[in-house]
Amino acid sequence: MTLKYTYKNVLVDLGSRSYNINIGYNLLANASDFIKPLLPRPKTVVVTDTYLYKNHYLGLKENLDQNNIDHDLIVLEQGERTKSWQNLEYLVEEFLTKKIERNDLVIGLGGGVIGDLTGFAAAITRRGIPFIQIPTTLLAQVDSSVGGKTSINSQQGKNLVGAFYQPRLVLSDLSVLETLSSRDFMAGYGEVLKYGLLGDKGFFEWLESNAKSIKKRDRKAMINIVNRSCKIKSKIVTQDEREKGQRALLNLGHTFGHALETATGYSDKLLHGEAVAIGCKLAFELSYKLGVCSEEDVLRVSKHMTDMGMLNPLVKLKGNLPSINDLIDIMHQDKKSQEGVLNFVLVGGIGQAFLAGNLEMNMVQEVLAENLS
Ligand code: GLY
């Protein structure tokens, strides 16, 4: 049975590499309507993980079968460790063994791990084969599937090997959000909130007023948060695809966040979106200490995060982390630090992020100590 669908569309306008982000419900069950026009011949490969294979792949498969699109399937283990050199090699060799040609298209059905890995494998197979992102977590729908960052992890750190390689289409079926655990959902919401905080006060105010509907995952609210987040990200990526300047604003909360993730071993002790949310709170407090942001805005952000239950992971971290000096050392290892100078994203208020270098580290230390000791 074909389920009805309507969808919103955000264009990522990058000239000949432009693509659509289609956002709606029941899109997986109708995926061929979007995919078929992009295929030079009715053949593709779907890359997914063990969890998604059980829970979401069959809907896609049925629809591809109904539309006579021949497809191979590659199922990888779920989890961050999948973003490895070994799996990159495995995927590329599988694409070649399955006779994927230069103009054929591959599909990544999954969260950030599957999207980043599939995108990178696509970028280097035959010097670049087209790929589609079908993101299946809130975090991937609002962030990692959009903007063409693809990568694997190295022994030296997360996402250190990769390429900017844009997909041909992002198909965001919000039906998948209904089965997401509340922890994964709230982690994704950390990235949604980040967009309001960095560049759109009106969006933040909408989030404040709609906290209850968002927590209930009301369908209209979900379409609005994914659509607006993608519009904000798309605008930034369009202006600065390769992160020479403005795109770095998307790293609001990430310098603190990555230090906390590294300190907790990139494990389920702290999820990426949780770390970003906590990092945003700390960036607001740091901006206040540096005299560039009002206390009122800091309190407003903190209240919204409390209302949404987003500060719970911070409570668990207290007293369970390396020393403040060790955290500062970790920050200096961050790939965003240049010539030993730490680059932070600060805020002049809600919706007003800006880049700042060479900060007074004693202020950073104070913020960490107040929140984590
Ligand atoms: N996740 C940050 C970016 O895409 O630039």
Side-chain angles (χ1 to χ4, degrees), residues 143-144 146-149 164 191 194-195 233 237 241 243 247-248 250-251 254 272:
D143 184 37
S144 58
V146 177
K149 281 190 179 174
F164 286 99
E191 295 279 359
K194 182 193 79 176
Y195 289 115
K233 180 153 186 182
V237 167
E241 185 184 3
E243 201 168 313
R247 184 164 181 168
L250 295 174
N251 295 327
H254 281 61
H272 175 67

Short mmCIF file of all heavy atoms in Angstrom, two decimals, residues 143-144 146-149 164 191 194-195 233 237 241 243 247-248 250-251 254 272, ligand 1:
data_model
loop_
_atom_site.label_atom_id
_atom_site.label_comp_id
_atom_site.label_asym_id
_atom_site.label_seq_id
_atom_site.Cartn_x
_atom_site.Cartn_y
_atom_site.Cartn_z
N ASP A 143 21.62 18.13 10.86
CA ASP A 143 23.01 18.54 10.79
C ASP A 143 23.85 17.69 9.84
O ASP A 143 24.23 18.12 8.76
CB ASP A 143 23.63 18.57 12.19
CG ASP A 143 25.06 19.09 12.17
OD1 ASP A 143 25.33 20.00 11.38
OD2 ASP A 143 25.91 18.57 12.92
N SER A 144 24.15 16.43 10.25
CA SER A 144 25.24 15.74 9.53
C SER A 144 24.91 15.38 8.09
O SER A 144 25.82 15.24 7.27
CB SER A 144 25.68 14.49 10.31
OG SER A 144 24.61 13.62 10.50
N VAL A 146 23.44 17.25 5.96
CA VAL A 146 23.36 18.47 5.17
C VAL A 146 24.72 19.17 5.11
O VAL A 146 25.35 19.37 6.14
CB VAL A 146 22.33 19.44 5.81
CG1 VAL A 146 22.27 20.76 5.05
CG2 VAL A 146 20.97 18.79 5.90
N GLY A 147 25.19 19.49 3.93
CA GLY A 147 26.38 20.35 3.84
C GLY A 147 27.63 19.65 3.38
O GLY A 147 28.66 20.28 3.20
N GLY A 148 27.57 18.31 3.16
CA GLY A 148 28.65 17.63 2.47
C GLY A 148 29.91 17.32 3.26
O GLY A 148 30.93 17.00 2.68
N LYS A 149 29.86 17.40 4.60
CA LYS A 149 31.03 16.94 5.35
C LYS A 149 30.95 15.42 5.45
O LYS A 149 29.97 14.89 5.98
CB LYS A 149 31.08 17.55 6.75
CG LYS A 149 31.59 18.98 6.77
CD LYS A 149 31.84 19.45 8.20
CE LYS A 149 32.38 20.86 8.22
NZ LYS A 149 32.50 21.40 9.59
N PHE A 164 34.95 17.15 1.64
CA PHE A 164 33.70 17.84 1.39
C PHE A 164 33.12 17.21 0.13
O PHE A 164 33.74 17.28 -0.94
CB PHE A 164 33.94 19.34 1.15
CG PHE A 164 34.27 20.10 2.40
CD1 PHE A 164 35.58 20.41 2.72
CD2 PHE A 164 33.25 20.51 3.26
CE1 PHE A 164 35.88 21.12 3.88
CE2 PHE A 164 33.55 21.22 4.42
CZ PHE A 164 34.87 21.52 4.74
N GLU A 191 21.23 20.06 18.60
CA GLU A 191 21.66 20.72 17.36
C GLU A 191 20.59 21.69 16.86
O GLU A 191 20.90 22.74 16.31
CB GLU A 191 21.97 19.68 16.27
CG GLU A 191 23.15 18.77 16.57
CD GLU A 191 24.53 19.42 16.28
OE1 GLU A 191 24.58 20.56 15.82
OE2 GLU A 191 25.54 18.73 16.53
N LYS A 194 20.86 24.76 18.84
CA LYS A 194 22.08 25.46 18.40
C LYS A 194 21.79 26.44 17.27
O LYS A 194 22.30 27.56 17.26
CB LYS A 194 23.11 24.42 17.96
CG LYS A 194 24.44 24.99 17.52
CD LYS A 194 25.28 23.94 16.80
CE LYS A 194 24.84 23.76 15.36
NZ LYS A 194 25.68 22.83 14.59
N TYR A 195 20.94 26.03 16.31
CA TYR A 195 20.65 26.92 15.18
C TYR A 195 19.97 28.21 15.64
O TYR A 195 20.28 29.29 15.17
CB TYR A 195 19.77 26.23 14.13
CG TYR A 195 20.51 25.15 13.38
CD1 TYR A 195 20.15 23.82 13.49
CD2 TYR A 195 21.58 25.48 12.56
CE1 TYR A 195 20.83 22.83 12.80
CE2 TYR A 195 22.27 24.49 11.87
CZ TYR A 195 21.89 23.17 12.00
OH TYR A 195 22.57 22.20 11.32
N LYS A 233 21.06 26.06 8.16
CA LYS A 233 22.33 25.43 7.78
C LYS A 233 22.61 25.61 6.29
O LYS A 233 23.74 25.92 5.89
CB LYS A 233 22.34 23.94 8.16
CG LYS A 233 23.66 23.29 7.75
CD LYS A 233 24.07 22.12 8.55
CE LYS A 233 25.47 21.67 8.13
NZ LYS A 233 25.95 20.51 8.80
N VAL A 237 25.97 27.10 4.60
CA VAL A 237 26.80 26.25 3.73
C VAL A 237 26.91 26.86 2.33
O VAL A 237 27.97 26.82 1.69
CB VAL A 237 26.20 24.82 3.67
CG1 VAL A 237 26.83 24.00 2.56
CG2 VAL A 237 26.38 24.11 5.01
N GLU A 241 30.98 26.99 1.83
CA GLU A 241 30.93 25.52 1.78
C GLU A 241 32.13 24.89 2.50
O GLU A 241 31.99 23.89 3.19
CB GLU A 241 30.90 25.08 0.31
CG GLU A 241 30.73 23.58 0.14
CD GLU A 241 30.79 23.16 -1.32
OE1 GLU A 241 31.04 24.01 -2.20
OE2 GLU A 241 30.61 21.95 -1.56
N GLU A 243 34.17 25.99 4.88
CA GLU A 243 34.49 26.48 6.23
C GLU A 243 35.74 27.35 6.26
O GLU A 243 36.67 27.12 7.03
CB GLU A 243 34.61 25.31 7.20
CG GLU A 243 34.42 25.76 8.64
CD GLU A 243 34.23 24.61 9.62
OE1 GLU A 243 33.44 23.70 9.34
OE2 GLU A 243 34.88 24.66 10.67
N ARG A 247 31.00 29.35 8.16
CA ARG A 247 30.50 28.00 8.48
C ARG A 247 30.96 27.57 9.87
O ARG A 247 30.31 26.75 10.52
CB ARG A 247 30.96 26.98 7.42
CG ARG A 247 30.39 25.60 7.68
CD ARG A 247 30.50 24.66 6.49
NE ARG A 247 29.91 23.37 6.82
CZ ARG A 247 29.64 22.42 5.95
NH1 ARG A 247 29.90 22.60 4.68
NH2 ARG A 247 29.10 21.28 6.34
N ALA A 248 32.08 28.14 10.32
CA ALA A 248 32.59 27.78 11.65
C ALA A 248 31.60 28.16 12.75
O ALA A 248 31.67 27.63 13.87
CB ALA A 248 33.94 28.44 11.88
N LEU A 250 28.73 27.21 12.89
CA LEU A 250 27.98 25.98 13.19
C LEU A 250 28.66 25.19 14.30
O LEU A 250 28.11 24.22 14.81
CB LEU A 250 27.87 25.10 11.93
CG LEU A 250 27.06 25.68 10.77
CD1 LEU A 250 27.16 24.79 9.55
CD2 LEU A 250 25.60 25.83 11.17
N ASN A 251 29.87 25.60 14.65
CA ASN A 251 30.58 24.93 15.75
C ASN A 251 30.28 25.55 17.10
O ASN A 251 30.98 25.27 18.08
CB ASN A 251 32.09 24.96 15.49
CG ASN A 251 32.46 24.15 14.27
OD1 ASN A 251 31.82 23.15 13.98
ND2 ASN A 251 33.47 24.59 13.54
N HIS A 254 30.85 23.56 20.25
CA HIS A 254 31.65 22.38 19.92
C HIS A 254 33.02 22.33 20.60
O HIS A 254 33.56 21.24 20.79
CB HIS A 254 31.83 22.25 18.40
CG HIS A 254 30.62 21.69 17.71
ND1 HIS A 254 29.39 22.31 17.74
CD2 HIS A 254 30.44 20.55 16.98
CE1 HIS A 254 28.52 21.58 17.05
NE2 HIS A 254 29.13 20.51 16.58
N HIS A 272 26.96 13.00 21.23
CA HIS A 272 27.45 14.22 20.58
C HIS A 272 26.48 15.39 20.77
O HIS A 272 26.88 16.49 21.18
CB HIS A 272 27.70 13.97 19.09
CG HIS A 272 28.10 15.20 18.35
ND1 HIS A 272 29.30 15.84 18.58
CD2 HIS A 272 27.45 15.94 17.42
CE1 HIS A 272 29.38 16.91 17.81
NE2 HIS A 272 28.26 17.00 17.10
N1 GLY B 1 28.39 20.05 11.60
C1 GLY B 1 28.99 21.29 11.26
C2 GLY B 1 29.08 21.52 9.78
O1 GLY B 1 28.49 20.82 9.00
O2 GLY B 1 29.80 22.41 9.38
#
